[in-house]
């Protein structure tokens, strides 16, 4: 038997056993209030993570050494696969992806145990860690059953595997996009664990929010990066001229992004005013539940997608776990319903909290539209056997007005103070954003933009950008570069990235031009003001594939779209080429080679404006998220009953209880507050 099989099995068994033991030890320690047992669970976290690390190392070692004695390597590895794609093959199929999931989850468990190492005797931390161990046990259990990545294989002499799916061998982003998504997906387990702990212990003030503030933002940032990189991969690899097709697996990652975005906005209302407690708990739990639903959609085989893994027996277990998460969280929220009543009320719709509530309702509507379009075909097939398809027209038609409304709210919310805004205040703060929105609209018309929806998007984009830039200018004028740090102003930079993406989406969809041509060698064609000449075919042989690239002259620049014939599988995969600039992209993809048509090259040309803005906007969002992770100059912390543990195991209930790590008290709920012109909270008065 392969040594990698032994090492991998040892890691999986160690991780599962440590998770189960930790569940028992933590449960007994919480019941007995035994701090020694609770300290032991923190140490067991290292064993859980160590098991995942050992399993991942064994899998990568097997792939790197081409150990075909491991069935996973025999199915996904090959002696001819380039090193980068061979390494990424560890998460290119179902079984290996669960290993990566366990590795990341174990890492978060250890990070959480280390971060809160001074709070071993705190029941809230104990319950949060117990929840983490339950999730760990589930995923390790999958590896002991239907997704065992270390099944031995008796490879015949001279055996060579087929390598990963050819679609996953043509773009280096495959090495970064899935791990980014996993860091986001799995990262939301920590907020979920603390939400469960708050519900179980009854410590339902705002203290638990302080615990998960940065954890939530960290996970959201990586999920955002993963989605953007996935869109970039699709654009560069699939060659259909698009980047987002409302594929069910794409939607599966977008749904938790929507609910977590709503949470990051509404949590500020709870921290500041003590409101929206049920809503925030529901959003945290929904985000985690949707990551499990997304895992089910990706790995169960119930859908057909370029992103989905092959069908297996893991589907019922995943949907069962999803159902258990929903039942437990709904039951706990219903049980604690009386204690979740908010002490504050929204004084006026024209207020920061009013705009955040509106933002949350719109994001919830967006999520519902996407969820309905994604799961309705599955429900219909399960009920009556009909195979239905909900395509891009449904999603685009239904989500466009919602997206425009979100842009409007992004323009209004940053200038609103807490509690109530006067008309005079709004007119003063909105004048420059309104002028910028008008200028953006006029400029768009001047350069030839037409159509109601894109023009509205351009105008609202300028309006929202003006509001964000206004706050950033005021913050840096007052505090210098330090004013860019913190959730408020880091969030404004994130807004700028979102606006860039929204404008790019509107323009690239509205002004897309696409055509297909058939040319003999030496012939030319004119498309969208560009001259394209077919100059011939170049054939290059690599170890794993034969590349046939067309040489196309585009206004003096040579593009080389290709078709790759993979030797071991015989599959032919297209590889488009793109001429990129800041204002437009021209992408060329081969439809049929001259050898297939008797002499002519058939190719598709797509021109879209502002595609580069999508990837630049994603980078701006990543920068804003990083800045938001650092504390700002005006950190505010809740003073509703926070329920920090006391020496006797009870809870502190003082209305102004200090939060460990806080550097400034927060105004009591009910006090009248104001916001200065930089959007920074000022002292109550």
């Amino acid at each position: 038997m392969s040594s990698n099989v032994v090492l991998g099995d040892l890691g999986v068994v160690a991780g599962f056993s440590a998770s189960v033991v930790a569940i028992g030890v933590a449960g007994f320690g919480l019941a007995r209030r035994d701090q020694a047992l609770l300290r032991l669970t923190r140490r067991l976290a290292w064993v859980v993570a160590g098991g995942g690390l050992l399993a991942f190392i064994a899998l990568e070692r097997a792939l790197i050494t081409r150990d075909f004695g491991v069935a996973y390597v025999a199915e996904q590895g090959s002696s001819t696969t380039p090193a980068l794609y061979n390494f990424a093959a560890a998460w290119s199929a179902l079984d290996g992806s669960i290993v990566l999931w366990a590795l990341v989850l174990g890492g978060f468990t250890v990070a959480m145990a280390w971060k809160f190492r001074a709070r071993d005797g705190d029941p809230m931390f104990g319950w949060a860690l117990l929840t983490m161990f339950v999730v760990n046990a589930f995923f390790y259990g999958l590896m002991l059953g239907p997704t065992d990545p270390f099944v031995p294989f008796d490879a015949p002499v001279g055996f060579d595997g087929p390598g990963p799916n050819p679609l996953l061998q043509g773009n280096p982003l495959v090495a970064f996009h899935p791990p980014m998504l996993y860091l986001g997906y799995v990262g939301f387990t920590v907020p979920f664990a603390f939400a469960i702990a708050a519900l179980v212990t009854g410590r339902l003030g705002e203290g638990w929010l302080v615990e998960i503030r940065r954890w939530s933002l960290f996970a959201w940032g990586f999920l955002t990066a993963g989605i953007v990189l996935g869109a970039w991969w699709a654009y560069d690899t699939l060659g259909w001229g698009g980047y987002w097709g409302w594929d069910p697996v794409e939607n599966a990652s977008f749904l938790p992004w929507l609910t977590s975005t709503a949470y990051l906005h509404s949590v500020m209302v709870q921290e500041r005013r003590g409101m929206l407690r049920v809503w925030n708990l529901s959003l945290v739990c929904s985000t985690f539940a949707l990551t499990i639903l997304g895992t089910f959609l990706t790995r169960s085989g119930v859908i057909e997608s370029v992103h989905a893994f092959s069908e297996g027996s893991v589907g019922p277990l995943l949907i069962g776990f999803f159902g258990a998460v929903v039942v437990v969280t709904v039951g706990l929220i219903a049980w604690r319903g009386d204690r979740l009543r908010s002490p504050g009320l929204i004084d006026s719709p024209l207020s920061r909290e009013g705009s955040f509530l509106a933002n949350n309702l719109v994001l919830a509507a967006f999520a519902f539209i996407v969820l309905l379009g994604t799961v309705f075909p599955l429900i219909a097939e399960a009920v009556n056997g009909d195979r239905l398809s909900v395509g891009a027209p449904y999603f685009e038609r239904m989500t466009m007005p919602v997206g425009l409304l979100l842009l409007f709210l992004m323009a209004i919310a940053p200038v609103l103070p807490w509690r109530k805004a006067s008309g005079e205040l709004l007119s003063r703060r909105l004048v420059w954003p309104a002028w910028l929105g008008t200028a953006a609209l006029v400029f768009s018309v001047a350069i030839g933009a037409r159509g109601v929806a894109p023009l509205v998007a351009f105008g609202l984009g300028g309006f929202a950008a003006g509001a964000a830039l206004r706050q950033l200018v005021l913050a840096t004028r007052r505090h210098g570069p330090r004013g860019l740090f913190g959730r408020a102003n880091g969030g404004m930079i994130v807004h700028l990235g979102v606006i860039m993406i929204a404008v790019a989406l509107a323009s690239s969809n509205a002004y897309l031009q696409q055509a297909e041509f058939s040319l003999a060698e030496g012939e030319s064609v004119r498309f969208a003001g560009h001259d394209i000449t077919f100059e011939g075919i170049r054939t290059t042989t690599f170890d794993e594939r034969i590349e046939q690239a067309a040489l196309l002259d585009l206004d003096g620049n040579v593009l080389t779209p290709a078709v790759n014939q993979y030797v071991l599988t015989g599959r032919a995969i297209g590889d488009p080429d793109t001429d990129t600039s800041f204002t437009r992209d021209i992408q060329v993809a081969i439809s049929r080679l001259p050898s297939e048509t008797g002499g002519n090259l058939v190719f598709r040309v797509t021109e879209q404006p502002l595609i580069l803005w999508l990837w630049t906007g994603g980078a701006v969002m990543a920068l804003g998220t990083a800045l938001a992770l650092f504390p700002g100059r005006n950190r505010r912390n809740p003073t509703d009953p926070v329920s920090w543990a006391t020496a006797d195991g009870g809870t502190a209930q003082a209305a102004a209880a200090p939060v460990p790590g806080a550097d400034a008290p927060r105004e009591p709920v009910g006090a009248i507050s104001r916001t200065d012109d930089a959007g920074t909270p000022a002292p109550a008065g």
Side-chain angles (χ1 to χ4, degrees), residues 365-575:
F366 204 138
F368 177 76
I369 291 169
V370 176
L371 180 63
L372 180 63
T374 303
V375 304
F376 181 76
L378 302 180
I379 296 173
E381 184 176 0
V383 172
N384 55 30
D386 293 339
R387 294 188 67 88
L388 303 178
S389 176
V390 177
Y394 159 80
F395 291 103
E396 292 171 359
R397 184 167 55 250
M398 296 295 291
T399 60
M400 182 185 298
V402 179
L404 294 175
L405 183 54
L406 281 173
L407 275 178
F408 175 75
L409 291 173
M410 286 172 62
I412 297 297
V415 305
L416 289 172
W418 293 97
R419 295 196 173 274
K420 189 174 183 180
S422 66
E424 179 184 358
L425 178 70
L426 279 180
S427 62
R428 185 175 76 249
R429 293 184 176 182
L430 286 174
V431 60
W432 287 111
W435 274 112
L436 187 57
T438 303
L441 181 60
V442 171
F443 178 75
S444 301
V445 173
I447 63 174
R450 297 294 182 268
V452 174
L455 288 175
V456 171
F458 299 152
L460 288 177
F463 189 24
L469 288 170
R470 173 189 173 276
Q471 177 160 326
L472 291 172
V473 168
L474 291 172
T476 53
R477 181 185 298 172
R478 175 165 301 179
H479 303 303
R482 188 72 178 83
L484 297 176
F485 291 83
R487 278 189 302 172
N489 295 318
M492 290 302 99
I493 295 176
V494 172
H495 277 200
L496 291 175
V498 172
I499 293 163
M500 292 183 68
I501 290 176
V503 170
L505 289 172
S507 60
S508 62
N509 287 328
Y511 307 122
L512 177 147
Q513 298 184 70
Q514 190 173 77
E516 191 167 84
F517 301 101
S518 176
L519 298 180
E521 187 172 331
E523 288 186 341
S524 299
V525 68
R526 190 164 180 82
F527 169 77
H530 303 281
D531 293 316
I532 305 173
T533 303
F534 172 38
E535 297 183 339
I537 294 291
R538 181 187 66 201
T539 301
T540 307
T541 301
F542 298 90
D543 289 341
E544 78 282 8
R545 59 190 167 90
I546 300 172
E547 178 189 85
Q548 296 186 73
L551 305 179
L552 294 168
D553 183 285
L554 173 70
D555 297 334
N557 297 322
V558 177
L559 297 182
T560 57
V563 172
N564 292 302
Q565 185 84 27
Y566 284 84
V567 177
L568 291 174
T569 63
R571 290 187 62 182
I573 303 296
D575 182 15

Side-chain angles (χ1 to χ4, degrees), residues 22-268:
I23 292 171
V25 172
F28 193 68
L30 287 165
R32 297 285 301 271
R33 295 190 177 183
D34 188 326
Q35 293 191 20
L37 289 177
L38 294 177
R39 280 194 295 273
L40 178 59
T41 60
R42 183 164 55 82
R43 296 186 179 95
L44 285 169
W46 291 90
V47 183
V48 172
L53 180 60
L54 181 59
F56 183 78
I57 290 173
L59 186 59
E60 285 291 3
R61 180 171 176 262
L63 286 164
I64 292 170
T65 60
R66 273 70 174 187
D67 180 0
F68 297 117
V70 181
Y72 184 87
V73 180
E75 295 168 358
Q76 303 298 324
S78 170
S79 62
T80 61
T81 302
L84 178 65
Y85 304 112
N86 189 58
F87 180 83
W91 51 81
S92 296
L94 171 61
D95 299 346
S97 72
I98 301 298
V99 176
L100 179 60
W101 190 293
L103 172 69
V104 176
L105 183 58
F108 275 110
T109 306
V110 165
M112 183 175 141
W114 181 84
K115 172 67 176 177
F116 301 105
R117 60 193 180 281
R119 297 192 40 202
D120 288 327
D122 185 349
M124 174 171 278
F125 172 66
W127 278 104
L129 199 54
L130 173 60
T131 305
M132 295 290 291
F133 287 131
V134 170
V135 180
N136 272 285
F138 173 76
F139 281 97
Y140 275 112
L142 291 181
M143 288 189 285
L144 287 176
T147 66
D148 184 358
F150 298 106
V151 175
F153 177 71
D154 187 13
V157 177
F159 177 87
D160 198 1
N165 185 328
L167 280 172
L168 304 179
Q169 296 189 52
N171 194 315
L173 288 175
V174 74
F176 304 97
H177 156 58
M180 290 282 191
L181 277 181
Y182 280 49
L183 284 168
Y185 259 42
V186 181
F188 283 115
T189 311
V190 176
F192 170 74
F194 272 100
I196 294 296
L199 287 165
V200 172
T201 60
R203 288 155 58 174
L204 299 168
E206 281 54 74
W208 71 279
L209 298 174
V210 178
E211 308 279 23
I212 66 170
R213 180 184 292 167
R214 288 189 178 85
W215 299 87
S216 302
L217 193 55
F218 180 89
W220 182 89
F222 275 104
L223 181 59
T224 302
I227 291 172
V228 173
L229 289 178
W232 195 357
W233 173 87
Y235 179 72
D236 277 349
T237 300
L238 301 182
W240 53 281
Y243 42 81
W244 188 267
W246 297 104
D247 180 281
V249 178
E250 293 173 341
N251 297 345
S253 63
F254 189 44
L255 283 166
W257 186 88
L258 288 169
T259 54
S260 59
T261 302
Y263 167 73
L264 290 175
H265 286 81
S266 63
V267 71
M268 290 187 279

